[in-house]
Amino acid sequence: MNGSPDDVLKVAFRQAYTVCRDKPFLIFANTVLFLVAVIICVVTVVGLFVMPAIVGGYVESMLRALRGQDQAIGHFIRAGFADGRWRHLLGIGVLYSIGTVCGFILLVIPGFYLSIVWMFVWIYAVDKKTGVIESFSLSRKLVHTDSNFSLVTLVMIFSLIVSLAVARIRPLTLLWAFLATPYFTLLTCSLYEQFLASPTRLIGRSSN
């Protein structure tokens, strides 16, 4: 990758903060819509089949924001269903849920490992329009390149520690979800962009 691991992390944290600071209305309006949509989906059977498309659309909206591309508030809800991509996103949602849940049930470490190597599954699906299996494969390969695995692991551990700390203060839980959801999504998108920009990183570029 370009620069040292420390530089990559600094850039990722700074970019995530900068986008939230420069486009607060877009970022947080979309986040409110996203969180409300997720809550509605969780309490309905049909919603569970719809939620992966909404997640994919939200991830794509954060990636577009990071890249400085124009977009309308709420457009991400329709974007996840465009061109039949909802089927691929549904497949990703099902496999991701089964894999990580089973991993955490059997042993914590396998579940944590899958969460790390599958961190970029959603981004690949919406950015490169890759299929279900290809998205998982490309994400795993991207994470296992150079020192990417250690960087992703550090980010995962950091987000987990902070989330657990905040969860102990119940009044802050909703506020944390509102602030952390866009920030860590943008952080993941920044890592994805930096990893792909590496001169040794070729995976996924041919899918543009």
Side-chain angles (χ1 to χ4, degrees):
M1 72 189 75
N2 295 321
S4 67
D6 287 344
D7 290 336
V8 172
L9 284 178
K10 289 178 182 177
V11 169
F13 278 98
R14 185 173 64 250
Q15 284 186 333
Y17 167 76
T18 300
V19 174
C20 289
R21 182 197 63 193
D22 294 346
K23 303 177 181 179
F25 187 68
L26 171 66
I27 296 299
F28 294 111
N30 274 346
T31 298
V32 169
L33 292 175
F34 171 70
L35 293 176
V36 171
V38 168
I39 293 173
I40 294 175
C41 288
V42 168
V43 299
T44 62
V45 176
V46 175
L48 295 177
F49 292 93
V50 173
M51 188 161 59
I54 295 176
V55 172
Y58 179 76
V59 170
E60 183 179 38
S61 73
M62 294 297 107
L63 184 61
R64 289 177 61 86
L66 186 75
R67 291 172 173 174
Q69 298 172 342
D70 294 332
Q71 59 181 309
I73 294 175
H75 175 72
F76 74 90
I77 296 177
R78 300 192 306 273
F81 297 92
D83 302 321
R85 67 167 66 178
W86 68 270
R87 291 189 292 270
H88 291 157
L89 294 172
L90 176 60
I92 287 173
V94 171
L95 288 182
Y96 187 94
S97 299
I98 293 176
T100 53
V101 169
C102 289
F104 280 113
I105 289 176
L106 296 176
L107 288 170
V108 174
I109 294 179
F112 188 68
Y113 170 77
L114 291 179
S115 297
I116 292 172
V117 297
W118 289 350
M119 176 174 274
F120 304 109
V121 167
W122 297 96
I123 304 179
Y124 264 116
V126 297
D127 184 38
K128 305 297 183 181
K129 307 300 186 293
T130 50
V132 177
I133 302 302
E134 186 180 8
S135 297
F136 282 95
S137 177
L138 290 175
S139 178
R140 180 184 60 79
K141 290 177 182 178
L142 185 62
V143 171
H144 278 295
T145 298
D146 300 328
S147 58
N148 296 357
F149 184 85
S150 62
L151 289 176
V152 173
T153 301
L154 285 174
V155 170
M156 187 73 73
I157 292 175
F158 172 75
S159 63
L160 181 62
I161 291 175
V162 176
S163 296
L164 289 176
V166 174
R168 298 174 63 88
I169 309 175
R170 292 186 180 276
L172 295 180
T173 303
L174 290 178
L175 177 62
W176 173 247
F178 175 67
L179 297 176
T181 298
Y183 185 82
F184 282 105
T185 303
L186 288 166
L187 183 65
T188 303
C189 290
S190 178
L191 290 176
Y192 168 81
E193 293 279 79
Q194 292 185 76
F195 292 167
L196 285 187
S198 168
T200 62
R201 179 74 268 140
L202 297 177
I203 295 174
R205 290 183 177 176
S206 61
S207 300
N208 282 322

